[in-house]
Amino acid sequence: MNGRSTISDVARRVGVSKTTVSHAISGKRRISGALKERIFDAIADLDYRPSPLAKGVAGSRMMLVAALVDSLCQPTTGILLELFQRELERFGYGMAVFTCGDSQERAVETMKFLSSGLVDGILNLLPGVTVNQALSCCSPVPAMTYLRPHIDSPVYIDIPSGMKAAAEYLLSLGHRRIGLIGGSKIKAVDMLVDPQVEGVRMALEPAGAWDPDLVAISSEGRFEDGLALAGRLVARGSTAIMAGNDMIAAGVLSWASRNGLKVPDELSITGYDDSQAATMLCPALTSVQVPFQEIASATVAALVGRIDGGSILQHRVLSLKLVIRDSCAPLKTGAKRKNI
Amino acid sequence: MNGRSTISDVARRVGVSKTTVSHAISGKRRISGALKERIFDAIADLDYRPSPLAKGVAGSRMMLVAALVDSLCQPTTGILLELFQRELERFGYGMAVFTCGDSQERAVETMKFLSSGLVDGILNLLPGVTVNQALSCCSPVPAMTYLRPHIDSPVYIDIPSGMKAAAEYLLSLGHRRIGLIGGSKIKAVDMLVDPQVEGVRMALEPAGAWDPDLVAISSEGRFEDGLALAGRLVARGSTAIMAGNDMIAAGVLSWASRNGLKVPDELSITGYDDSQAATMLCPALTSVQVPFQEIASATVAALVGRIDGGSILQHRVLSLKLVIRDSCAPLKTGAKRKNI
DNA sequence: TTGTACGCGTTATCAG
DNA sequence: CTGATAACGCGTACAA
């Protein structure tokens, strides 16, 4: 099957046993200097590399973790994955990414496949799979689920507060009819309420500006959803629209441009994620910044901790910062609204 | 290491040998009806799943291929990967994605790691790794390299012709000073010349409009490169800028907006890839469409062919289509150019 | 300091 | 139709 050299080849070449070669590599046993050198010469000579497969079946670490995502097309996912990889690298682990779409069945398949020892740990970034589902499907391989308020999740980001801050900012600009296009795909049992909707409600209700009719939920959280739903909210009187992510915001922006509405003068828009798109768009997007780096480092640290011995989980609460750019303006009270 | 049940457990439970269980699963041997049923009952009962690791070390297929990419942050990469996955699925293969950045060393590491039998095939999408490098690092595991004009590559897309068509379109609009910001990261031995530059030259030289000073090469092919290089080209008199990919085009667009230049009236822009960004941008981008679906299906078919027995490679030549939207306009000859 | 022998879970070969 | 046995490549008690 495999034309490459094995540990036996090395042992034979040097004239020692496989055991000695194995221990020379792992360093778990003292080997006399001269012999050690001959062994490493032979290894280099034969370009010998231990088979991860055989190591795995023999019960040792693969030094590999799997990351499960629903899609690779959202720009945010790519950034997050690269951050995860960088963190894993610091611990000597590699990363393999698996795409599962929105299929529960496929997610379960993949997890069970991987947890046979193929990987040492699993990062579950699937919005549709709960912490407990991941834990049970992956057992006995440790799994960390991205961003859930759960006892088995290492980091909680305070989404409601972040959205609340953004909504209050719009209130301070004089807006009262504030629309929301939610973007969270995490509808699983882990989340009882949509945290973005909740945050906006917390800000608007006390101000008497809360209107459930101005809340739209985008199923996929994509550009097209913003494009499609913006009109409905504006027709209901929204002078500002909060988007559940920056792609949705881009869609709203595009809708405004196509319908001749000037942003921010005639329509204010906020995003969420503060991804690269936020600075690319024109006008640059005021957006709620998500601390991806901190999320990645905390999650990876927790996963590696579990792999290396089941240490106690540290819980971190991270807050969100509103980055103000050019997509929101004070409400022009006197302005006559265009007819859509 | 692994709390799950093995084939021995199933065999013991049913009272047959491991051999029989194995053959019942693979179907490579006729098993009497009643026995077969008891075996499958036990399998379901114990939730038995063959260990991929053990299968691999025993020399059988993993039904898994690896895709190697430099980065997951370019939107084009994500789309391409999902297309690859869909095609692989049709043949029953799963896909694992590995990120290598721009490091040659890391790419080689990863390939050698994977080719120990961990995967049955490798899709090399790394712009910095040549066909031959991939072939030699992955041997004996078959590898297909994305989009190279090479005898061991199944599909060749005629990039020069595509860019030539776009350049000719700009010529037909009256433009003479046509700038180019190249975006191809494939600088390896596989490509003797930059195919995008070559295509533009083929169009402009006969028209007497070719000026090497209007060619800029962006190292990373990112938004920022377009933003940074557009000014230089306009300062040299460009009235139209061709971007090597849609992200660069977005950067050029952003530069124009920040400097008060109207697109397309004062500056025409073309993109390349025709990614989702092309329709998102405002104005919508005229762009060279790359047939990702066809590339994916041809490449996967070739790879699976190699895995399943080294069939002869079919070569397909695909051409590119220019999708005309709103980012180019006829040159206004009389207009006084703004001072940048 | 080094070597022997066995186990990991599966598949292939050869025997009944 | 079914079973016993060897082999895959590596790690690691246990023995010397």
Side-chain angles (χ1 to χ4, degrees), chain B residues 46-338:
Chain B
L46 297 169
D47 189 34
Y48 162 71
R49 310 180 137 257
S51 153
L53 244 42
K55 283 172 92 144
V57 83
S60 122
R61 293 267 122 93
M62 297 289 282
M63 296 314 283
L64 188 67
V65 325
L68 272 53
V69 300
D70 56 339
S71 158
L72 288 169
C73 291
Q74 294 138 346
T76 301
T77 305
I79 292 169
L80 197 54
L81 285 174
E82 300 214 342
L83 291 174
F84 274 122
Q85 178 170 45
R86 202 162 309 157
E87 292 301 313
L88 283 165
E89 200 170 13
R90 301 177 50 197
F91 295 94
Y93 284 88
M95 183 180 86
V97 181
F98 292 80
T99 316
C100 302
D102 292 322
S103 156
Q104 288 276 337
E105 192 186 344
R106 179 172 195 144
V108 172
E109 274 315 300
T110 308
M111 288 177 172
K112 294 202 169 174
F113 174 74
L114 293 170
S115 58
S116 324
L118 250 182
V119 297
D120 305 316
I122 291 179
L123 288 167
N124 169 36
L125 309 194
L126 297 167
V129 173
T130 68
V131 174
N132 288 332
Q133 284 170 339
L135 249 29
S136 84
C137 288
C138 297
S139 167
V141 173
M144 283 293 155
T145 299
Y146 174 63
L147 221 57
R148 308 294 163 85
H150 188 284
I151 184 130
D152 267 301
S153 195
V155 44
Y156 168 65
I157 64 172
D158 196 350
I159 300 177
S161 294
M163 288 300 272
K164 177 161 173 277
E168 283 168 347
Y169 169 66
L170 288 171
L171 284 173
S172 79
L173 291 176
H175 294 276
R176 299 257 117 198
R177 300 291 290 169
I178 297 174
L180 169 64
I181 303 179
S184 173
K185 286 180 78 179
I186 305 181
K187 315 183 196 74
V189 191
D190 288 331
M191 296 285 196
L192 294 175
V193 295
D194 184 313
Q196 292 183 332
V197 176
E198 198 57 15
V200 173
R201 196 183 57 72
M202 282 161 56
L204 299 190
E205 219 166 44
W210 174 245
D211 179 358
D213 279 350
L214 295 185
V215 175
I217 299 299
S218 96
S219 52
E220 294 296 319
R222 298 186 69 83
F223 176 82
E224 292 83 353
D225 299 310
L227 195 60
L229 295 171
R232 190 183 305 173
L233 295 178
V234 171
R236 291 178 188 170
S238 294
T239 60
I241 293 182
M242 304 180 65
N245 68 49
D246 290 347
M247 284 298 106
I248 296 176
V252 175
L253 212 48
S254 178
W255 176 88
S257 158
R258 289 176 201 195
N259 288 276
L261 237 66
K262 290 215 175 96
V263 176
D265 294 332
E266 297 174 290
L267 182 68
S268 289
I269 301 177
T270 66
Y272 181 92
D273 281 341
D274 193 38
S275 59
Q276 196 188 34
T279 58
M280 283 174 53
L281 292 169
C282 189
L285 202 62
T286 290
S287 186
V288 178
Q289 187 175 59
V290 177
F292 290 116
Q293 172 60 57
E294 285 77 7
I295 294 172
S297 65
T299 306
V300 165
L303 181 63
V304 173
R306 275 285 155 84
I307 294 174
D308 284 347
S311 63
I312 304 289
L313 215 53
Q314 302 285 332
H315 290 271
R316 284 184 67 187
V317 176
L318 300 175
S319 56
L320 303 176
K321 193 177 88 184
L322 181 67
V323 178
I324 295 176
R325 297 203 183 82
D326 314 319
S327 63
C328 299
L331 180 66
K332 296 214 173 67
T333 49
K336 185 94 177 79
R337 296 204 53 77
K338 294 203 180 182

